[in-house]
């Protein structure tokens, strides 16, 4: 059996990457809650806190499931033994379910509260756990994109008011396409890797994976351009969208230069796509918060 190589830059690098993934999953939820306030609905702090804990529990369940049901991927895990990781995943799912019950039955957040949480579990825990195991089926990127984009953003908005608005879709889809590429590039095999990752990028030729990345990146850029051309009024810090566009163009240039064929450049692309995703969330959060 080939020795396991740490390609995340050591323990500190792994923790930093895990924190970035955690933020990438939580920021859309917070954006949704703030958008509810912008739309004129009262924002309940207890609901935000409980929802944050529930989303964090679902992210933890997904990360633990990666170790409990080892699936080759360059996405970071918790580096736990399978038995320990399995127990942690079940505990995290139970906590998320309990918090969902509190939100729906005590804080009366709406009938879709538990179904939204269930979708989060289907996309997080079952990205690696059987019988679904979306990563092995080549659906992990699409499911991960929804779970780190439109789904948590819609949940954050819905838990506050029980409704949805068009702006949720605009922000949510932009984040979804960005997250799709995060999971896609983490599925590109490193050159010479004996047992490469399983996912969409590993199931197709590298050139086809690059084309898929390009299409999703164009859609991400299109969402940012739409926000620039048809901004909400007011839209503070609108200029920061240009920074995100610039980073998206840099990522596209790396793909154009076939960075996925060289380990060092592929690792750089992994970091930059994750940076773009966290940047999207932070910029959308700040712009939305300034509108309150």
């Amino acid at each position: 059996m080939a020795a396991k190589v740490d390609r995340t830059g050591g323990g500190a690098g792994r923790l930093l990457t895990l924190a970035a993934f955690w933020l990438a999953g939580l920021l859309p939820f917070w954006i949704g809650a703030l958008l509810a306030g912008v739309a004129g609905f009262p924002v309940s702090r207890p609901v935000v806190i409980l929802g944050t804990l529930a989303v964090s529990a679902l992210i933890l369940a997904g990360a633990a499931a990666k170790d409990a049901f080892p699936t080759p991927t360059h996405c970071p895990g918790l580096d736990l033994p399978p038995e320990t990781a399995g127990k942690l995943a079940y505990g995290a799912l139970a906590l998320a379910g309990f918090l969902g019950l509190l939100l729906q039955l005590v804080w009366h957040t709406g009938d879709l509260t538990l179904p939204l949480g269930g979708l989060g579990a289907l996309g997080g825990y079952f990205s690696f756990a059987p019988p679904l195991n979306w990563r092995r089926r080549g659906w992990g990127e699409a499911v991960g994109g929804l779970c780190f984009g439109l789904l948590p953003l819609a949940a954050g908005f819905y838990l506050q008011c029980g409704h949805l608005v068009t702006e949720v879709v605009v922000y949510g889809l932009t984040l979804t396409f960005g997250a799709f590429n995060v999971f896609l590039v983490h599925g590109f095999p490193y050159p010479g890797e004996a047992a490469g990752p399983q996912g969409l990028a590993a199931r197709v030729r590298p050139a086809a994976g690059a084309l898929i990345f390009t299409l999703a990146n164009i859609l991400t850029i299109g969402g940012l351009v739409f926000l620039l051309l048809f901004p909400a009024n007011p839209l503070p810090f609108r200029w920061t969208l240009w920074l995100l566009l610039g980073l998206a163009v840099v990522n596209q240039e790396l793909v154009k230069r076939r960075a996925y064929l060289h380990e060092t450049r592929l690792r750089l692309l992994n970091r930059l796509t994750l940076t773009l995703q966290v940047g999207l969330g932070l910029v959308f959060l700040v712009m939305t918060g300034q509108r309150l």
Side-chain angles (χ1 to χ4, degrees):
M1 182 180 294
K4 182 179 179 180
V5 179
D6 187 353
R7 301 177 185 265
T8 60
R14 184 185 299 109
L15 287 176
L16 184 60
T17 305
L18 282 171
F21 269 95
W22 174 72
L23 266 181
L26 271 181
L27 285 168
F29 178 80
W30 294 336
I31 294 167
L34 290 182
L35 279 176
V38 171
F41 297 98
V43 177
S44 170
R45 289 186 180 181
V47 170
V48 172
I49 293 172
L50 290 175
T52 296
L53 292 175
V55 173
S56 296
L58 290 173
I59 295 172
L60 177 61
K66 177 184 179 297
D67 291 341
F69 307 96
T71 302
T73 174
H74 296 140
C75 294
L78 302 177
D79 205 22
L80 296 174
E83 184 177 355
T84 303
K87 293 178 181 178
L88 180 60
Y90 289 138
L93 287 175
L95 175 60
F98 174 71
L99 292 170
L101 286 172
L102 284 180
L103 286 167
Q104 182 165 331
L105 300 180
V106 178
W107 272 270
H108 307 289
T109 51
D111 294 337
L112 293 181
T113 300
L114 290 178
L116 286 170
L119 288 175
L122 285 174
Y125 175 76
F126 285 104
S127 281
F128 306 102
L132 300 178
N133 203 331
W134 300 118
R135 290 291 300 181
R136 291 184 186 274
R137 297 175 185 271
W139 287 93
E141 292 78 8
V143 173
L146 285 172
C147 289
F148 279 68
L150 184 58
L151 180 60
L153 197 147
F157 190 97
Y158 178 84
L159 293 182
Q160 296 297 331
C161 59
H163 302 282
L164 292 174
V165 295
T166 304
E167 199 168 4
V168 168
V169 178
V170 175
Y171 280 123
L173 287 180
T174 304
L175 288 163
T176 294
F177 293 129
F180 175 92
N181 270 348
V182 170
F183 291 104
L184 179 68
V185 298
H186 279 80
F188 273 100
Y190 290 124
E193 198 169 18
Q198 295 180 354
L200 182 59
R203 296 168 72 93
V204 299
R205 291 178 300 174
L211 177 60
I212 295 170
F213 178 96
T214 299
L215 293 174
N217 200 40
I218 289 173
L219 291 171
T220 304
I221 291 172
L224 292 172
V225 171
F226 182 87
L227 291 171
L228 281 169
L229 295 179
F230 305 99
N233 187 25
L235 188 62
F237 297 100
R238 182 180 172 189
W239 60 271
T240 55
L241 296 175
W242 290 105
L243 299 179
L244 298 175
L245 282 168
L247 182 52
V249 171
V250 169
N251 291 343
Q252 188 58 50
E253 185 64 20
L254 282 171
V255 171
K256 178 183 175 182
R257 294 176 180 272
R258 301 183 180 181
Y260 48 86
L261 297 180
H262 308 275
E263 180 173 342
T264 301
R265 295 167 66 189
L266 178 55
R267 291 172 63 183
L268 174 62
L269 182 61
N270 288 345
R271 291 193 293 269
L272 290 181
T273 52
L274 183 55
T275 299
L276 175 61
Q277 186 65 18
V278 174
L280 285 169
L282 287 173
V283 167
F284 290 172
L285 183 71
V286 171
M287 290 195 306
T288 305
Q290 290 297 311
R291 293 165 57 193
L292 288 173

